[in-house]
Amino acid sequence: MKAKLFMTMAAATMILAGCSNDENEVTDNWNGEIRLTSGVTVQTRANSADVPDKQIASGQTVYAWVDKATTPDATEYIKAWTLTAQGDGTFTGSLQYYPTDNANLDFYAMHGNFATFTEGSDAFPTSASAITHAVDADQSENLGTNYLKSDLLYGLKKDVARSASAVNLTFYHLLSKVEVALKSGAGSPNLAGATVTIVNTKLKAAFIPSKTAEINHSTTSTAQAARAGLVSCSTSSNDPAPITIATSITSDDFSTRTTYAAAIIVPQTVTQNTKFIKVALTTGGIFYYSIPDAGGITFESGKKYQYKITVNQSGLTVTSEISNWTPVSAISGDAVMD
């Protein structure tokens, strides 16, 4: 009955459009379907290499749940709506429609490397059991398939009124991003073919999505805390494992460089003196950057950590910047040959 109703509405709209005095007028024959667009928040400078961070890449799967925003309790309306991102902010998927009672809607959506959901039957995940999301150990293709699927995203928008306009969902990065660039320093070691690995981090995250978390709060600290509260480092079968990343080499002083090799890691604390970045040269030299901070370093949800590594014949010189995925602090340290 609903399908027939919307088909009739569309036909009526087409007839009315045919009576227009302006033959060039374009009419949007909207029949009540829900339209979605997306944007990923990134608080950093824009450049083409960061495109996957600002927009969900083409081909990535997003699951959405929709509730009727009724009082006192919302009621389920659409379960596990399975969408495919097109890379331009739009999605493809089954047609879904606003309710005929004109109730406002609440939207919740997620993307990640976790078990699939069945459209139309799987309810929104509850806090009783966390979703296990895993980052990939092979992220050697810079911003490639394994990087994209490692990015855990979550967004919500509430009390949306029926409209032909697209509902713009803002997604937030819940994990941490590490960027690394290399430069040949004292002794001019040959970096061609060097292998870069992030070591001693755990790869699994426990994700508990929430319909009430204030991830869109106008106060930055409140919103950040709400997002961070959705994810933690899993305690189940989660030993540290290496993550291979791409090798990005520069000959300048890093000041004009726009491309870094990137990886997604799970938010976690890495203790002082723990080896964190490994650089292996084809000539046989192996170098490590270890965490210098007395209290270790806690990789936070939604933040980007950028490492500028100068490889000297005797070791590494490292400068690191932390930003919100605009730098807020910087640390520097040294590494030694193993």
Side-chain angles (χ1 to χ4, degrees):
M1 291 296 293
K2 181 184 292 185
K4 290 181 180 179
L5 172 63
F6 287 122
M7 289 174 67
T8 301
M9 290 173 62
T13 305
M14 291 176 66
I15 292 171
L16 290 172
C19 297
S20 171
N21 292 325
D22 186 352
E23 294 181 356
N24 295 319
E25 180 179 348
V26 177
T27 301
D28 183 0
N29 299 318
W30 181 61
N31 60 0
E33 77 271 17
I34 300 172
R35 298 167 175 174
L36 297 178
T37 61
S38 71
V40 180
T41 60
V42 181
Q43 302 171 24
T44 186
R45 294 184 300 273
N47 62 73
S48 59
D50 285 336
V51 169
D53 294 337
K54 300 187 189 72
Q55 196 56 260
I56 302 176
S58 178
Q60 298 299 298
T61 299
V62 170
Y63 296 100
W65 285 260
V66 185
D67 291 346
K68 287 186 179 182
T70 53
T71 303
D73 298 314
T75 57
E76 289 183 326
Y77 183 61
I78 300 171
K79 296 180 180 180
W81 188 8
T82 306
L83 303 165
T84 302
Q86 300 302 293
D88 59 359
T90 63
F91 299 96
T92 58
S94 62
L95 291 179
Q96 302 288 347
Y97 299 92
Y98 282 94
T100 55
D101 61 5
N102 290 323
N104 287 2
L105 299 179
D106 296 337
F107 293 82
Y108 313 94
M110 64 185 73
H111 162 276
N113 186 27
F114 40 66
T116 60
F117 294 94
T118 301
E119 180 170 296
S121 61
D122 283 346
F124 185 84
T126 66
S127 58
S129 58
I131 296 171
T132 298
H133 165 92
V135 300
D136 204 284
D138 181 6
Q139 298 184 46
S140 56
E141 180 189 359
N142 198 32
L143 307 179
T145 300
N146 291 344
Y147 171 92
L148 297 174
K149 75 178 184 181
S150 298
D151 197 6
L152 179 59
L153 303 169
Y154 185 60
L156 61 82
K157 191 164 188 175
K158 292 190 170 186
D159 206 26
V160 177
R162 174 187 174 96
S163 174
S165 298
V167 179
N168 186 18
L169 286 175
T170 297
F171 290 82
Y172 297 92
H173 300 282
L174 297 185
L175 303 189
S176 306
K177 179 180 179 180
V178 174
E179 294 185 327
V180 179
L182 305 180
K183 174 188 174 182
S184 181
S188 301
N190 184 5
L191 303 184
T195 301
V196 180
T197 309
I198 296 172
V199 294
N200 292 314
T201 65
K202 299 178 179 181
L203 308 190
K204 294 180 183 178
F207 171 44
I208 303 179
S210 168
K211 293 182 177 182
T212 59
E214 296 182 300
I215 64 173
N216 298 324
H217 198 279
S218 57
T219 302
T220 301
S221 58
T222 300
Q224 175 62 29
R227 296 166 204 158
L230 301 178
V231 65
S232 61
C233 194
S234 177
T235 58
S236 177
S237 302
N238 198 19
D239 292 332
I243 301 174
T244 304
I245 69 175
T247 302
S248 181
I249 304 170
T250 181
S251 58
D252 62 25
D253 60 358
F254 301 103
S255 62
T256 60
R257 187 166 184 79
T258 58
T259 301
Y260 284 74
I264 305 292
I265 69 170
V266 174
Q268 58 194 281
T269 297
V270 180
T271 59
Q272 185 182 28
N273 298 325
T274 300
K275 294 174 179 177
F276 178 59
I277 298 175
K278 175 184 175 182
V279 180
L281 307 184
T282 57
T283 54
I286 297 178
F287 303 84
Y288 286 94
Y289 168 69
S290 297
I291 302 300
D293 310 74
I297 182 171
T298 297
F299 292 93
E300 298 182 49
S301 168
K303 290 199 174 183
K304 179 178 73 174
Y305 300 77
Q306 192 174 82
Y307 291 87
K308 305 171 183 180
I309 300 178
T310 301
V311 182
N312 304 304
Q313 201 68 42
S314 58
L316 308 180
T317 300
V318 182
T319 298
S320 172
E321 293 182 357
I322 305 171
S323 63
N324 291 325
W325 196 314
T326 319
V328 294
S329 64
I331 57 176
S332 61
D334 295 318
V336 297
M337 178 177 284
D338 193 47

